[in-house]
Amino acid sequence: MSDVSAETSDPGPATPDTADWTWVLTRPCRDCGFDPRDVRPDGVSEILLDAKQRYAAVLARPDVRARPSAGVWSPLEYCAHVRDVCDVMRGRLVQILDGGGETVRFANWDQDATAVEKAYWRAEPDVVRHELEAAFDAAAEAFGWPRREQLAWPGLRSDGSTFTAETLGRYFVHDVLHHLWDVRG
């Protein structure tokens, strides 16, 4: 039997990711193999639903709470993060669509602060699986909404990065697929 208190005690902060990942919109990711040219706007939902199944398998692993090294999230923490990414990206897409073609401004989202606030390391894998599946379903549904003319509608991130409904979908897909690469067994 595992020591539950050891599994749920604060493992300390993960190393913050300060990289500007918007480059994945124009060139392939050497780490995970993502190529933005492979993502069609009408294919985002299908990719998300496939990823949902793959993340459910990650959450069933016996080592789901184990950090691979100091400062690196465990598979459980990555899954909790992806759950929140699904909600943030769905919200940003809805904001773009509600903007009617005018440039909308996204609120800042600090993923590292969110991980600490929500104590990702303490999460229950079954709860995260349920929430993650619901978040993937909602995001997949939303990314099926934009009509062709809405794909170019803009949104502006708090750091000044500009997205459209189309590029937001590509960026989102990379995030989801890259984190599957991060938790490969």
Side-chain angles (χ1 to χ4, degrees):
M1 182 168 225
S2 64
D3 181 357
V4 174
S5 63
E7 291 178 347
T8 59
S9 63
D10 185 346
T15 304
D17 183 358
T18 58
D20 177 2
W21 286 93
T22 55
W23 59 265
V24 302
L25 295 173
T26 58
R27 63 184 191 268
C29 179
R30 289 183 301 206
D31 293 334
C32 70
F34 171 83
D35 189 332
R37 297 170 297 191
D38 294 340
V39 180
R40 298 179 334 275
D42 63 349
V44 171
S45 296
E46 182 180 334
I47 293 167
L48 296 177
L49 293 175
D50 175 68
K52 174 179 80 168
Q53 302 306 315
R54 296 169 66 189
Y55 276 100
V58 169
L59 285 163
R61 291 182 0 203
D63 69 340
V64 72
R65 290 186 183 278
R67 283 190 167 184
S69 60
V72 177
W73 280 343
S74 68
L76 174 60
E77 290 168 289
Y78 273 112
C79 289
H81 167 69
V82 169
R83 172 202 59 209
D84 292 345
V85 167
C86 287
D87 291 339
V88 167
M89 293 302 184
R90 179 185 47 78
R92 288 180 175 180
L93 176 66
V94 168
Q95 191 177 352
I96 286 174
L97 298 177
D98 286 349
E102 298 295 319
T103 301
V104 297
R105 295 184 183 277
F106 305 137
N108 184 48
W109 181 55
D110 184 332
Q111 65 185 19
D112 299 305
T114 300
V116 172
E117 288 167 15
K118 292 187 173 183
Y120 286 172
W121 64 90
R122 284 194 189 125
E124 289 300 322
D126 287 339
V127 172
V128 172
R129 182 187 52 76
H130 175 72
E131 293 170 346
L132 181 66
E133 288 175 347
F136 266 121
D137 287 341
E141 179 183 353
F143 276 87
W145 293 338
R147 296 181 312 272
R148 178 181 286 292
E149 67 274 10
Q150 294 172 315
L151 293 173
W153 289 4
L156 188 64
R157 202 166 60 182
S158 60
D159 68 358
S161 297
T162 301
F163 290 87
T164 63
E166 183 173 355
T167 61
L168 185 71
R170 282 194 185 109
Y171 186 82
F172 180 23
V173 164
H174 171 260
D175 203 340
V176 165
L177 297 179
H178 193 93
H179 290 319
L180 278 170
W181 178 82
D182 286 328
V183 299
R184 64 199 182 280

